[in-house]
Amino acid sequence: MSSSNATVTRQELCEKIGQLPQVDIGHFPTPLEECPRLSEVLGGPRIFMKREDCSGLAFGGNKVRQLTFTIGEAVHQGADTIVHGAASQSNHCRQAAAAAARLGLRCYLRLSRDDKSMPQGNLLLDHLAGAEIELVDAFLGPKLDAIKYALAEELKAEGLKPYVIASPRSTALAAVAFAWCVAEIHKQQEAMQIQADRIYAASAGGTLAGLILGSKSLGMKLKPVGIAPIDWDDRIERVRKAGNEAARILDLDIEITDDAVCCTNAYVGEAYGVVSPESVEAIRLVARTEGIFLDPVYTSKAMAGLIDHIRRGEIASNETVIFLHTGGTPALFAYDEELL
Ligand SMILES: Cc1ncc(COP(=O)(O)O)c(C=O)c1O
């Protein structure tokens, strides 16, 4: 299944990735499973699901793969403390708290005070994993990052060795992680004798960047489609930059251009973190056909995008599609009112 367009073989790509500092915190490879009942109901293509939600640590999800490298870098640099922050129901923060607990590191989280900051879902799990948590009046972005870096300075003054998880480094390492995920898919496809045409993922960042980098470097026909969970105007640039930075980290002779980045914001709905009628339909449909739960913030919107593309005839019924289930399911328990 190797192609003449490949820049590297799968083994070479895996060797390059294997040379980076990393920690063993997840269950990899994650399964690649067919969803025949979902395909049948949609009257559409063959659908497979890459189960990143089964990546093991703390209910799984795409951030386990990413933290393999960010926390790997932290440990390599001698850090004893992880500083992170995002929305109050952040999956990334929940998994950072769990990874830190598992590795014997301290974890400080600065989470946005929002309408989901009750101790349920991910926030409940952050507390159980022993993170030191403070709610702050700042949304994702430069203001929250400034709070994280200021905290790191205070912790340094107390004699700790903090590592701050933040973009752009964290996003580039996510792209490395998802290039690795593509290498897994490449191997699984060979064993299953399939060659998917497209891969759908909830991402406007490192996950999508890694899928693009991985499929391009291995010369696969797999076309990554990102369904943005948040309305970021600069999403194409963010993905391109993360992919190119990951290519540099891995010493891959690849240049990702804007036209290689397919990322739509058409399924965000009212706002980030707010369910839409289509995302609720997607959660119910996948649960009732395959017994698999999507999450309310990310994967349900990506699935709403895939369903809409199938219904509009943008994907032919003889195609094969992989849906990357990026996890996030603990947030379901903070959305009971919207989902019932
Ligand atoms: C469950 C889940 N899916 C998808 C994403 C999006 O990942 P990316 O950082 O690649 O946009 C996240 C990130 O927060 C997430 O938690």
Side-chain angles (χ1 to χ4, degrees):
M1 212 172 287
S2 64
S3 150
S4 53
N5 296 327
T7 313
V8 282
T9 64
R10 184 173 74 224
Q11 191 184 343
E12 285 165 344
L13 178 60
C14 290
E15 277 169 13
K16 283 172 181 288
I17 294 168
Q19 281 164 14
L20 297 178
Q22 51 200 275
V23 283
D24 183 10
I25 51 172
H27 297 176
F28 300 113
T30 55
L32 180 64
E33 295 174 344
E34 185 155 17
C35 299
R37 284 177 34 81
L38 179 62
S39 297
E40 194 187 327
V41 168
L42 293 172
R46 267 183 103 176
I47 300 173
F48 288 79
M49 220 182 269
K50 175 68 171 163
R51 302 290 306 272
E52 286 299 290
D53 59 319
C54 298
S55 60
L57 182 76
F59 299 101
N62 61 334
K63 303 301 178 184
V64 180
R65 221 181 259 278
Q66 178 175 357
L67 289 162
T68 297
F69 298 96
T70 45
I71 298 201
E73 182 167 89
V75 169
H76 184 72
Q77 291 175 4
D80 55 16
T81 303
I82 301 298
V83 176
H84 200 0
S88 66
Q89 285 297 330
S90 163
N91 300 302
H92 200 179
C93 289
R94 175 241 315 166
Q95 295 184 310
R102 173 161 174 172
L103 296 166
L105 306 170
R106 293 172 190 238
C107 181
Y108 288 75
L109 300 179
R110 292 297 173 262
L111 302 171
S112 310
R113 195 187 316 279
D114 51 34
D115 62 354
K116 293 290 175 195
S117 41
M118 63 284 204
Q120 243 305 355
N122 284 312
L123 187 50
L124 171 64
L125 301 175
D126 298 341
H127 282 287
L128 294 180
E132 195 271 0
I133 300 164
E134 199 177 301
L135 294 175
V136 296
D137 293 309
F139 188 61
L140 270 181
K143 199 172 160 194
L144 190 54
D145 281 350
I147 291 174
K148 294 194 269 182
Y149 284 110
L151 172 63
E153 288 310 313
E154 283 173 33
L155 296 173
K156 271 187 212 163
E158 289 171 21
L160 294 173
K161 293 184 187 133
Y163 177 94
V164 178
I165 297 182
S167 281
R169 183 68 183 166
S170 165
T171 314
L173 289 175
V176 167
F178 279 87
W180 169 35
C181 181
V182 172
E184 262 178 38
I185 292 171
H186 187 275
K187 187 171 180 185
Q188 288 168 320
Q189 290 202 131
E190 225 167 61
M192 296 165 88
Q193 298 193 316
I194 56 165
Q195 270 198 51
D197 301 279
R198 308 169 196 238
I199 180 164
Y200 275 66
S203 175
T207 308
L208 177 60
L211 297 178
I212 297 169
L213 181 64
S215 65
K216 202 168 158 62
S217 61
L218 295 176
M220 295 163 77
K221 75 167 174 173
L222 190 70
K223 179 178 186 270
V225 180
I227 309 285
I230 190 166
D231 200 0
W232 270 331
D233 286 343
D234 62 346
R235 62 189 183 283
I236 303 289
E237 186 189 347
R238 292 169 68 95
V239 172
R240 169 177 46 78
K241 282 189 175 162
N244 285 329
E245 180 57 15
R248 200 194 54 76
I249 292 169
L250 292 171
D251 192 23
L252 287 169
D253 186 18
I254 285 202
E255 178 70 28
I256 294 170
T257 51
D258 280 356
D259 56 1
V261 181
C262 172
C263 183
T264 172
N265 61 355
Y267 301 93
V268 176
E270 197 182 314
Y272 168 77
V274 178
V275 300
S276 61
E278 296 76 16
S279 70
V280 176
E281 185 208 349
I283 290 176
R284 293 191 177 163
L285 183 66
V286 176
R288 291 169 192 196
T289 52
E290 298 292 343
I292 295 173
F293 294 101
L294 302 176
D295 83 290
V297 180
Y298 298 93
T299 50
S300 56
K301 291 190 176 167
M303 183 57 80
L306 172 58
I307 292 171
D308 190 48
H309 288 183
I310 292 172
R311 287 186 178 150
R312 285 169 184 266
E314 286 174 26
I315 305 173
S317 56
N318 63 357
E319 287 190 46
T320 298
V321 178
I322 296 174
F323 180 82
L324 185 75
H325 189 327
T326 48
T329 43
L332 281 170
F333 304 105
Y335 281 75
D336 51 327
E337 285 179 15
E338 294 91 325
L339 294 175
L340 280 182

